[in-house]
Amino acid sequence: MTTDNQATHAHFPGHLLDGKVAVITGVGAAETIGAVTAAVFVQEGAQVVCADISGAQKDTAVALGPAAAPFQVDITREEEVEAMFAHAVEVFGRVDILVNVAGNPGGRRGDEITVEEYQSLTSVHLLGTALTNKHAVRAMTPNGGGAIVNFSSAASFNTDKLISMAYAAAKSGVNSLTKSYAVHYGPQNIRVNAVAPGFTMSKKNHRVPAEALAMLEGKAALGRAGQPEEQAHVAAFLASDRASFVSGVVVPVDGGWTSRLA
Ligand SMILES: NC(=O)c1ccc[n+]([C@@H]2O[C@H](COP(=O)([O-])OP(=O)(O)OC[C@H]3O[C@@H](n4cnc5c(N)ncnc54)[C@H](O)[C@@H]3O)[C@@H](O)[C@H]2O)c1
């Protein structure tokens, strides 16, 4: 037990996902949220297809041992998404879970945004979510159901001058797709939920300058950044049978940031 307001870094190896087969996208290099989520899923007993566009999924999957298999995917390309689920069935026999973590950040302000940046953000977050969810539903239906967890953002609810408008809009769309897939495919026993991270210390955020870091940490009621494990454990719960009556919700995992008035 911790005595102050620190992330625990605790590991809870258990049996939450025993016997489940998961496809996880956005499994990049160590310390991305996707890589940490894949590790937590393996610790919890799942077999995992580790998918990413970067190539880093290979080393991440090898480090996780025989319960993990890498797959190279661009989630905006339907034939690759379809092949990813086919690969999961070929290697592990079935698909019970999709966790769609893959995402890309936006940089430009509203008066500077380019068509390329806008299209890239909406393509990865919106089209990528639709395509992965579509083929997850197709892969899960023959097994009698499954669970999908999409990665949204605290920026999907409200925004901040620091946050790209196009990114926030795309993540709001992820929330909408999450609810639509939940409503449309609930009758097939497929649950669909989303995790909405606040500022989290994934690999890319290790480079945030000290002043910006202090400001972002201060946004959370808990006064700190989240750790990738803290996102992964919520995703694991939502994907597990313990969340068997939870569908169509977007869960903020943000240390209380979105409870603030400003
Ligand atoms: N880190 C944060 O503070 C934070 C906050 C809110 C939301 N999120 C969301 O959580 C998710 C993970 O965040 P992260 O910090 O680990 O990000 P990250 O950028 O470190 O990792 C994202 C991964 O997605 C992969 N990817 C990008 N485009 C892809 C595509 N077209 N097809 C397949 N893979 C692709 C990248 O190669 C990378 O490995 C993202 O969806 C992000 O928007 C993160």
Side-chain angles (χ1 to χ4, degrees):
M1 185 174 161
T2 51
T3 51
D4 56 12
N5 193 12
Q6 299 292 310
T8 63
H9 297 283
H11 292 288
F12 308 105
H15 303 281
L16 199 55
L17 300 170
D18 269 356
K20 304 281 190 192
V21 175
V23 172
I24 306 182
T25 72
V27 179
E31 297 180 72
T32 55
I33 293 174
V36 173
T37 300
V40 165
F41 272 54
V42 168
Q43 281 164 23
E44 293 290 350
Q47 292 175 299
V48 178
V49 168
C50 298
D52 202 86
I53 197 171
S54 65
Q57 72 280 352
K58 290 190 197 119
D59 287 348
T60 302
V62 166
L64 292 175
F71 191 83
Q72 177 104 18
V73 72
D74 176 348
I75 61 166
T76 69
R77 300 178 77 91
E78 183 156 20
E79 68 280 9
E80 296 183 19
V81 171
E82 195 170 6
M84 173 175 71
F85 286 100
H87 187 68
V89 173
E90 194 184 310
V91 176
F92 295 126
R94 54 190 282 134
V95 176
D96 304 296
I97 295 165
L98 163 70
V99 188
N100 188 40
V101 188
N104 56 345
R108 295 190 176 86
R109 295 173 56 88
D111 60 334
E112 294 169 343
I113 187 131
T114 62
V115 171
E116 276 107 350
E117 181 171 320
Y118 183 87
Q119 285 179 338
S120 166
L121 285 162
T122 50
S123 182
V124 173
H125 294 290
L126 280 181
L127 181 60
T129 299
L131 292 177
T132 54
N133 284 224
K134 169 183 172 178
H135 287 281
V137 162
R138 289 189 177 187
M140 290 168 182
T141 301
N143 309 336
I148 296 174
V149 181
N150 292 316
F151 264 69
S152 179
S153 170
S156 69
F157 305 118
N158 289 300
T159 190
D160 188 281
K161 282 185 178 169
L162 280 176
I163 293 168
S164 149
M165 292 180 187
Y167 174 84
K171 287 297 200 185
S172 297
V174 169
N175 297 357
S176 177
L177 285 168
T178 297
K179 291 177 191 184
S180 290
Y181 271 95
V183 168
H184 288 236
Y185 296 100
Q188 275 96 309
N189 195 31
I190 296 172
R191 297 183 300 101
V192 190
N193 295 292
V195 170
F199 180 67
T200 301
M201 265 299 163
S202 60
K203 188 180 176 68
K204 70 176 183 214
N205 286 338
H206 293 182
R207 325 187 275 268
V208 172
E211 198 179 325
L213 182 61
M215 191 276 296
L216 285 161
E217 287 173 340
K219 296 280 187 187
L222 293 176
R224 64 172 175 83
Q227 294 299 325
E229 288 83 353
E230 294 177 299
Q231 305 299 335
H233 284 296
V234 177
F237 166 71
L238 290 172
S240 78
D241 293 340
R242 291 202 197 155
S244 52
F245 204 49
V246 182
S247 197
V249 300
V250 182
V251 181
V253 184
D254 64 355
W257 185 357
T258 50
S259 294
R260 284 188 191 281
L261 279 173

